[in-house]
Amino acid sequence: MSNAFARNRPLWIAGALTVAVMVLVFIAGWLFGSGSEKKDEARREVAAQRAHVVAPDSALGRTDRRQIDALRRGIPIDQEAAPQPLWHVQNMDVKRERAYPMQPPTIPHAIDGYQVDRNSNRCMLCHARANAEKFQAPPVSVTHYMDRDDQFLATISSRRYFCNQCHVVQTDAPLLVGNTFQTIDAVLAAAEAGTATAEAAKGRP
């Protein structure tokens, strides 16, 4: 037994040193963690005390200050706004008009479970130009078949492949801000109606 220990003595010493180092690291980590927890608790107490102090120029509780972001719904900038509920997806296949120029069209149906990754694009099953007529779906814009040099491609451009980068589903969420935007069709229709009214007024005796 003594001969075996003598032969393996370097291994025993190395093992003992390893265990000792691990124990020291564990103790140091435990002591450091305990100190950090106490410091964090002290910081939280100080922050809680400061939260009750309102600066004279603060917008807290005041409605006479102009808000920076209209999407905050009138909540002062130094208050946390309550999150909006999860609105329901409108699965009616009724396309909405654009809300601003060049807006990517919204998706008028649910897309739960749609696979859009490097291996497959479920949207292109219906909206590819070769399948749009068959599925009675609007075809993808011709701009989606152009590369960065404005050269036309045979397939969808990799820059426009992931549809969810720009297009989102329609929900029943209320409007956060007012919008008076009119599409070009609405503007032209109003202009034609005004012209017809003016001509009719001129033709009266």
Side-chain angles (χ1 to χ4, degrees):
M1 183 71 177
S2 59
N3 293 335
F5 177 78
R7 286 196 304 267
N8 297 326
R9 184 177 180 179
L11 295 177
W12 286 102
I13 294 175
L17 289 175
T18 302
V19 172
V21 170
M22 293 176 63
V23 171
L24 291 175
V25 171
F26 174 79
I27 294 174
W30 179 74
L31 293 175
F32 179 77
S34 300
S36 298
E37 290 179 358
K38 293 180 180 179
K39 291 180 180 179
D40 292 341
E41 185 176 356
R43 290 196 191 100
R44 285 194 293 267
E45 291 179 357
V46 172
Q49 293 175 359
R50 291 179 178 175
H52 295 290
V53 179
V54 180
D57 58 347
S58 173
L60 183 63
R62 300 181 60 177
T63 58
D64 58 334
R65 289 189 175 273
R66 185 178 180 87
Q67 300 301 316
I68 297 176
D69 187 0
L71 296 180
R72 291 185 60 82
R73 307 180 306 279
I75 305 299
I77 195 65
D78 53 1
Q79 288 186 6
E80 188 69 25
Q84 290 280 356
L86 295 177
W87 305 104
H88 299 92
V89 175
Q90 292 182 332
N91 192 26
M92 300 182 296
D93 281 336
V94 178
K95 186 174 66 173
R96 291 180 181 176
E97 296 289 348
R98 285 181 168 87
Y100 56 89
M102 303 300 293
Q103 177 195 5
T106 53
I107 305 173
H109 57 80
I111 58 173
D112 298 340
Y114 275 36
Q115 181 180 357
V116 180
D117 54 29
R118 60 179 296 183
N119 299 318
S120 176
N121 187 329
R122 173 62 177 79
C123 303
M124 297 303 292
L125 175 64
C126 301
H127 294 281
R129 304 186 73 83
N131 301 334
E133 183 177 1
K134 175 182 178 182
F135 290 97
Q136 295 297 304
V140 173
S141 171
V142 67
T143 58
H144 290 45
Y145 289 85
M146 299 168 62
D147 61 12
R148 66 180 62 189
D149 298 322
D150 294 336
Q151 299 298 317
F152 286 96
L153 307 173
T155 57
I156 195 79
S157 172
S158 59
R159 300 188 304 152
R160 306 294 185 93
Y161 180 81
F162 295 99
C163 310
N164 296 32
Q165 289 182 143
C166 302
H167 302 276
V168 296
V169 295
Q170 299 175 172
T171 67
D172 58 355
L175 295 178
L176 294 177
V177 294
N179 188 2
T180 58
F181 173 76
Q182 292 182 332
T183 63
I184 186 62
D185 294 332
V187 173
L188 293 176
E192 291 179 359
T195 302
T197 303
E199 292 178 352
K202 289 182 181 179
R204 291 175 185 175

